Amino acid sequence: MKSVAELMSLRGRVALVTGGAGHIGGVVCDTLAELGAAVAVLDCSADACNTTANRVADCFAVKTLALPVDLADENAIRAVPARTVEQLGSLDILVHCAALVGTSGLPGWAVPFSEQSADTWRKALEVNLTSAFILTQSAADSLAASGRGAIIHVGSIYGIVGPDFGLYAGTQLGNPAAYAASKGGLLQFTRWLATALAPRVRVNMLTPGGVERGQDATFRERYVARTPLARMATEEDFKGAVAYLASDLSAYVTGQNLIVDGGWTVW
């Protein structure tokens, strides 16, 4: 019987992380690299990709690959798995972390529903949901060939519950319909893939709660007041869930949604 340390090890495996240069994505890359995986960092900014890939390689002594890709470009997305296998040798883990989030500064985004833009809705679905479909479709054979393929979709509490708009009153923050719809769709896509790609690839979702990033003080106070653990999340709070879902610790787990929200959705 393997030890917990052996089950958690990702040595010899290769991970691809979309949104890898972002707040949560960067922590995902760190976690996977610390456990021994080589990491391909995909993000829309070439500078951010290179910075993150170089930092991860230096900190954890693993191979990395910077992949600046626009997730609205289908052809570019479809080329990513082959590029990863060519440069890093295989593809064992796919983490889809990239997203347009509630704070994205887009026209017709974090505004009242009557002012939300159909064009921005389409863009959100393209990045948050359609890109996951295209990338998974393109990566499925490589993940299956690894013999231990694992997909982690990063969702949101607003993909499983409705928003409390009282949190946002009097602030500059918003909660766009497209964000909730795309994250809810990603959860159901996760469940669908868990059966469609079984038994060779496991597919699960990690659902974070709200993360402390210097938001409006009134919003933070309201959010914390209705969170059982009485604080917002930090990126570090997601490391354990990533390690679990990516590794053989969860070898018999698929189609699940691991919610890391301090109890927000328990009410």
Side-chain angles (χ1 to χ4, degrees):
M1 183 177 292
K2 292 181 180 179
S3 68
V4 171
E6 288 172 320
L7 290 171
M8 188 182 293
S9 175
L10 298 177
R11 295 199 179 281
R13 303 189 199 187
V14 174
L16 167 62
V17 182
T18 74
H23 293 285
I24 294 178
V27 168
V28 171
C29 291
D30 288 352
T31 302
L32 299 174
E34 185 175 349
L35 295 175
V39 180
V41 181
L42 187 156
D43 215 299
C44 57
S45 165
D47 288 344
C49 271
N50 285 317
T51 298
T52 301
N54 290 335
R55 178 184 61 75
V56 171
D58 290 343
C59 287
F60 302 104
V62 298
K63 291 183 178 180
T64 60
L65 173 65
L67 291 170
V69 171
D70 179 355
L71 288 179
D73 183 340
E74 179 174 347
N75 290 332
I77 297 171
R78 290 197 180 278
V80 163
R83 290 175 64 188
T84 302
V85 172
E86 179 182 355
Q87 295 293 317
L88 298 179
S90 67
L91 179 56
D92 307 278
I93 301 160
L94 170 60
V95 184
H96 186 68
C97 194
L100 292 178
V101 298
T103 54
S104 297
L106 296 171
W109 182 245
V111 293
F113 180 57
S114 61
E115 301 172 23
Q116 290 178 27
S117 161
D119 287 340
T120 304
W121 165 282
R122 293 186 189 97
K123 182 175 180 62
L125 264 64
E126 193 74 24
V127 173
N128 296 3
L129 185 55
T130 303
S131 68
F133 166 81
I134 296 169
L135 187 56
T136 303
Q137 191 179 60
S138 305
D141 288 346
S142 296
L143 290 166
S146 83
R148 49 202 176 186
I151 297 173
I152 304 171
H153 289 145
V154 178
S156 167
I157 51 175
Y158 290 127
I160 56 176
V161 297
D164 176 356
F165 284 104
L167 295 173
Y168 304 94
T171 76
Q172 297 300 310
L173 302 173
N175 192 302
Y179 181 72
S182 59
K183 290 298 187 178
L186 190 61
L187 174 56
Q188 189 56 26
F189 184 46
T190 299
R191 295 179 177 130
W192 187 91
L193 284 171
T195 60
L197 300 185
R200 302 179 72 187
V201 180
R202 299 183 300 105
V203 190
N204 293 289
M205 176 169 274
L206 165 59
T207 290
V211 181
E212 162 67 51
R213 294 210 188 105
Q215 295 96 331
D216 179 278
T218 300
F219 169 83
R220 295 199 309 272
E221 290 171 6
R222 292 168 179 167
Y223 190 98
V224 168
R226 59 162 297 171
T227 304
L229 292 188
R231 66 176 176 85
M232 297 189 76
T234 68
E235 279 79 8
E236 186 174 275
D237 289 318
F238 309 121
K239 284 188 171 185
V242 171
Y244 173 69
L245 292 175
S247 72
D248 290 345
L249 287 172
S250 59
Y252 198 56
V253 177
T254 196
Q256 303 305 304
N257 181 22
L258 180 51
I259 303 170
V260 185
D261 68 350
W264 169 270
T265 54
V266 79
W267 304 114

